[in-house]
């Protein structure tokens, strides 16, 4: 006979069951969670060179007054400001500044500059979005700089002195001053003597701050961002033969190196931080190189070009090459900044290049040089490939000047002095195919801006989807060809809008790593939601993706309820209630207070002794 069953024995089976249920709940809740991985490019597509787009054709011809000269583009309003004259040429009669809309390619205004005035190339000041025009009036001696805001609103007229001959100002982006070279000025500031100087204008107040004495016959200079100095050529006409270097923080001349003969407007090279001065004097080295306060090198373009380098150079900012028209040989010389030597001469023939600076087009990375029949009824602009030095001739009007680049629509505007019009060139891309890109695989990434820190966003690229909370999503390395991308969901689409016009597009890998900007704009500043995993579900309760944390808690609660039911059932079967399977207590025995178990039964009585043997 066995004793009653212990009430703790059923828990020996409940606890393992509870553990099993808990493990199953966790497995079910976390099912589908995968680490974010970036697979390798599955196909590694063969190298494909993207085809060229635009045709480098004239898409519009805008009639304006005769005597059109080099203009300036205003990125604030999308207009172009082109000096023009009414008369035989730009030096006679009335002078205007013609305003051309870059959006419609039409003349929208003509700003009267005065009688017998020669308006110089305007200068744009980004500090106040105003256009500044130096006015040279040889007959009346009333010379000044006029400032315009908006399209043609006169903001200020700033005098530069009696009999002064101001020319195109140079803008200093640090102190927001304009530095205007003046010739033959009756000084406004002490010692009130006649000399050549540079007038410093504060664009914040549109007032003349000071006048800095320089050499004879100063021309438009260049700003050097490496040291904050202004480099001014003193054309001299055989007197002095130097340049003036102005420290813009003190507005004083800190050096006047010599070794020049008729220097003209230089160019600053951001690659080697040198300044290149062409010389137009006979017998001089053709290009003088200055670094800091000293002349470091003289570059000769050959005897045939001596005395003919009165055009300004233009620098390719990507590789630092310096382009200078060599009129003696009708070529475009290219200087390598690493050696400061001519490495190429582009030679189309046809009395090719005019003595005006070419224009760099950052949209197609080409150089556009005016020339070809400079004094005829038709002229041309040479679009030069800066990698292969091949060229395309684009027919424009007579006597083309330096083109002006429109950074909004990527077009070029060529003023034609002889024919009194402006040719608009579609310069979005080169008409000649670019060279093939270098082989290999290159990194591709997408970089968001504008979302709150830690907010999730998702991109699909080349069939692979990544959902991250980091600002940059990378997809590994890919070969040269065109791929597609799609922006999927992102944090709070109701308050954060995507800045591009479409949520899908193409991306070209062409010989270098590509990072595509993905701008967002959020109307409210709220805390971002938890991060997401690569499958697209967001992190939620207990740090698990989506609702998995809630599922886990639900599973645990269900397991606890089942365990409680089992315990109650077992208790009821092992207690005094009906239906218990425990054996009944022995007769005559009453449980002691407190429900203690019954004592063991007493032993049976001993058997009676055997009867005695008979006698």
């Amino acid at each position: 006979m066995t004793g009653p069953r212990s009430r703790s024995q059923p828990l020996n089976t409940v606890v393992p069951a509870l553990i099993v249920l808990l493990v199953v709940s966790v497995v079910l809740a976390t099912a589908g969670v995968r680490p974010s991985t970036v697979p390798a490019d599955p196909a590694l597509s063969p190298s494909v060179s993207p085809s060229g787009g635009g045709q480098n054709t004239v898409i519009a011809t805008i009639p304006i007054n005769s005597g059109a000269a080099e203009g300036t583009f205003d990125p604030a309003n999308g207009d172009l400001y082109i000096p023009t004259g009414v008369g035989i040429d730009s030096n006679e009669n009335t002078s205007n500044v013609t305003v051309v809309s870059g959006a419609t390619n039409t003349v929208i205004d003509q700003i009267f500059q005065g009688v017998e005035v020669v308006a110089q190339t305007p200068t744009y000041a980004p500090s106040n979005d105003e256009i500044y025009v130096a006015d040279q009036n040889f007959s009346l001696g009333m010379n000044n700089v006029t400032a315009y805001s908006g399209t043609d609103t006169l903001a200020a007229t700033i005098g530069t002195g009696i009999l002064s001959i101001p020319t195109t100002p140079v803008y200093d982006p640090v102190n927001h001053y304009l530095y205007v070279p003046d010739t033959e000025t009756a000084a406004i500031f002490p010692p009130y003597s006649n000399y050549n100087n540079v007038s410093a204008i504060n664009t914040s107040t549109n007032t003349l701050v000071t006048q800095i004495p320089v050499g004879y016959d100063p021309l438009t200079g260049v700003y050097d961002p490496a040291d904050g100095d202004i480099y001014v050529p003193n054309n001299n006409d055989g007197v002095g033969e130097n340049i003036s270097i102005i420290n813009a923080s003190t507005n004083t001349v800190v050096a006047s190196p010599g070794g020049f003969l008729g220097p003209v407007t230089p160019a600053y090279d951001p690659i080697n931080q040198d300044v290149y001065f062409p010389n137009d004097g006979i017998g001089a080295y053709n290009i003088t190189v200055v670094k800091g306060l000293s002349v470091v090198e003289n570059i000769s373009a050959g005897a045939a070009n001596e005395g003919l380098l009165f055009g300004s150079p233009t620098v390719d900012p990507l590789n630092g090459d310096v382009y200078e028209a060599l009129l003696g040989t009708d070529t475009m010389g290219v200087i390598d900044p690493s050696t400061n030597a001519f490495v190429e001469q582009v030679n189309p023939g046809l009395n090719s290049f005019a003595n005006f600076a070419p224009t760099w087009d950052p949209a197609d990375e080409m150089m556009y040089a005016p020339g070809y029949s400079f004094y005829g009824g038709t002229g041309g602009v040479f679009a030069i490939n800066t990698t292969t030095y091949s060229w395309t001739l684009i027919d424009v009007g007579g006597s083309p000047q330096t083109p002006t680049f429109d950074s909004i629509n990527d077009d070029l505007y060529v003023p034609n002095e002889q024919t009194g019009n402006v040719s608009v060139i579609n310069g979005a891309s080169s008409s000649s195919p670019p060279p093939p890109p270098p082989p290999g695989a290159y990194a591709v990434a997408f970089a968001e801006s504008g979302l709150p820190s830690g907010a999730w966003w998702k991109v699909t690229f080349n069939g692979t989807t990544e959902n991250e909370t980091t600002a940059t999503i990378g997809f590994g390395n890919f070969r040269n060809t065109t791929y597609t991308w799609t922006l999927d969901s992102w944090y709070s689409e109701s308050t954060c809008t995507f800045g591009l016009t479409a949520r899908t597009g193409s991306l070209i890998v062409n010989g270098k790593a590509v990072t595509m900007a993905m701008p967002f704009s959020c109307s409210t500043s709220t805390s971002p939601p938890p991060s997401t995993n690569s499958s697209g579900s967001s992190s939620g309760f207990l740090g698990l993706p989506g609702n998995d944390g809630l599922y886990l808690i639900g599973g645990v609660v269900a397991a606890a309820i089942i365990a409680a039911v089992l315990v109650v059932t077992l208790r009821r079967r092992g207690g005094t209630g009906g239906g218990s399977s425990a054996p009944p207590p022995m007769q005559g025995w009453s449980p002691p207070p407190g429900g203690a178990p019954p004592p063991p039964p007493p032993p049976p009585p001993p058997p009676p002794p055997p009867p005695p043997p008979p006698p």
Side-chain angles (χ1 to χ4, degrees):
M1 183 175 179
T2 60
R5 186 176 302 167
S6 170
R7 295 183 181 180
S8 62
Q9 285 178 342
L11 296 179
N12 294 333
T13 59
V14 172
V15 171
L18 182 59
I19 294 174
V20 171
L21 288 173
L22 179 61
V23 171
V24 171
S25 299
V26 172
V27 171
L28 291 176
T30 58
V33 178
R34 299 288 186 270
S36 176
T37 58
V38 180
D41 181 8
L44 282 179
S45 303
S47 175
V48 177
S49 300
S51 60
Q55 299 299 314
N56 268 339
T57 56
V58 174
I59 59 176
T61 300
I62 307 169
I64 58 176
N65 291 333
S66 63
E70 179 184 357
T72 296
F73 178 70
D74 184 341
N77 58 21
D79 295 339
L80 294 102
Y81 294 78
I82 302 173
T84 53
V86 178
I88 298 176
D89 57 38
S90 59
N91 292 326
E92 292 189 21
N93 301 326
T94 303
S95 178
N96 298 321
V97 172
T98 300
V99 185
V100 174
S101 169
T104 63
N105 285 334
T106 58
V107 174
I108 58 176
D109 204 353
Q110 286 190 331
I111 308 172
F112 176 71
Q113 295 300 113
V115 178
E116 298 293 336
V117 168
V118 179
Q120 303 298 291
T121 301
T123 298
Y124 170 72
S127 56
N128 57 10
D129 290 329
E130 292 184 357
I131 293 288
Y132 291 82
V133 183
D135 302 315
Q136 297 179 355
N137 191 321
F138 292 93
S139 62
L140 300 179
M142 304 291 290
N143 299 293
N144 51 45
V145 174
T146 49
Y148 298 94
S149 62
T151 297
D152 59 357
T153 302
L154 181 63
T157 300
I158 308 160
T160 54
I162 298 176
L163 298 179
S164 67
I165 305 176
T167 189
T168 298
V170 173
Y171 178 73
D172 183 338
V174 176
N175 61 14
H176 303 163
Y177 281 15
L178 289 172
Y179 290 86
V180 188
D182 300 323
T183 301
E184 300 177 357
T185 303
I188 298 176
F189 295 89
Y192 302 111
S193 60
N194 292 335
Y195 52 67
N196 299 269
N197 58 44
V198 171
S199 297
I201 297 175
N202 185 342
T203 61
S204 300
T205 59
N206 279 336
T207 57
L208 187 64
V209 176
T210 188
Q211 289 180 310
I212 307 164
V214 291
Y216 181 75
D217 193 14
L219 301 179
T220 299
V222 70
Y223 174 75
D224 182 347
D227 53 25
D229 290 343
I230 310 291
Y231 291 76
V232 178
N234 301 309
N235 195 250
N236 295 321
D237 194 20
V239 180
E241 302 178 359
N242 63 2
I243 65 172
S244 297
I245 303 177
I246 299 173
N247 184 322
S249 62
T250 61
N251 285 327
T252 58
V253 174
V254 293
S256 300
F260 300 84
L261 186 58
V264 297
T265 300
Y268 171 77
D269 193 326
I271 300 301
N272 59 9
Q273 299 179 352
D274 288 349
V275 180
Y276 292 81
F277 284 86
N279 294 276
D280 64 5
I282 298 296
Y285 285 100
N286 296 117
I287 303 287
T288 301
V289 184
V290 178
K291 181 187 289 290
L293 304 179
S294 305
V295 172
V296 296
E297 194 163 1
N298 288 300
I299 306 171
S300 176
N305 295 296
E306 289 182 359
L308 295 173
L309 295 185
F310 45 87
S312 301
T314 300
V315 175
D316 178 345
L318 297 183
N319 57 23
D321 285 352
V322 181
Y323 286 72
E324 173 68 38
L326 306 177
L327 302 185
T329 53
D330 291 326
T331 61
M332 178 66 68
V334 183
I335 298 174
D336 184 345
S338 63
T339 61
N340 275 335
F342 283 97
V343 295
E344 184 71 29
Q345 286 190 348
V346 181
N347 185 16
L350 303 174
N351 295 321
S352 310
F353 299 103
N355 60 330
F356 296 108
T359 297
W360 162 254
D361 184 343
D364 61 9
E365 300 177 2
M366 298 186 74
M367 197 71 71
Y368 289 81
Y372 176 54
S373 300
F374 179 70
Y375 293 104
T378 58
V381 171
F382 294 91
I384 303 174
N385 187 309
T386 55
T387 301
T388 64
Y389 304 116
S390 59
W391 52 269
T392 299
L393 179 61
I394 307 167
D395 289 332
V396 293
S399 185
Q401 312 287 293
T402 296
T404 299
F405 176 70
D406 180 341
S407 58
I408 294 179
N409 58 28
D410 294 339
D411 290 341
L412 291 115
Y413 291 76
V414 185
N416 302 304
E417 182 182 13
Q418 292 293 324
T419 50
N421 53 24
V422 175
S423 300
V424 185
I425 297 174
N426 177 8
S429 60
S430 171
S431 59
S432 57
Y442 303 91
V444 172
F446 294 80
E448 67 87 10
S449 61
L451 290 178
S453 177
W456 59 267
W457 59 299
K458 182 163 61 174
V459 175
T460 299
F461 176 73
N462 195 38
T464 300
T465 300
E466 287 297 317
N467 199 358
E468 300 291 346
T469 59
T470 57
T472 301
I473 298 178
F475 285 88
N477 297 324
F478 296 82
R479 297 215 177 169
N480 298 309
T481 190
T482 301
Y483 302 89
T484 58
W485 61 268
T486 300
L487 175 68
D488 296 315
S489 57
W490 65 84
Y491 158 70
S492 188
E493 294 186 33
S494 62
T495 58
C496 294
T497 58
F498 187 47
L500 302 183
T501 56
R503 293 172 57 165
T504 186
S506 60
L507 181 150
I508 298 176
V509 177
N510 187 31
K512 59 184 178 182
V514 179
T515 299
M516 182 168 181
M518 309 290 280
F520 293 86
S521 177
C522 297
S523 58
T524 59
S525 103
T526 57
S527 299
S531 62
T532 61
N533 56 49
S534 59
S535 64
S537 59
S538 61
S539 298
F541 190 62
L542 297 180
L544 295 176
N547 295 323
D548 291 350
L550 299 177
Y551 297 153
L552 175 60
I553 293 299
V556 174
V557 171
I561 293 174
I562 295 173
V565 171
L566 290 176
V567 171
V568 171
T569 301
L570 292 174
R571 283 181 177 176
R572 295 180 63 184
R573 290 182 178 180
T576 57
S580 172
S581 61
M586 295 183 60
Q587 295 182 357
W589 177 84
S590 296

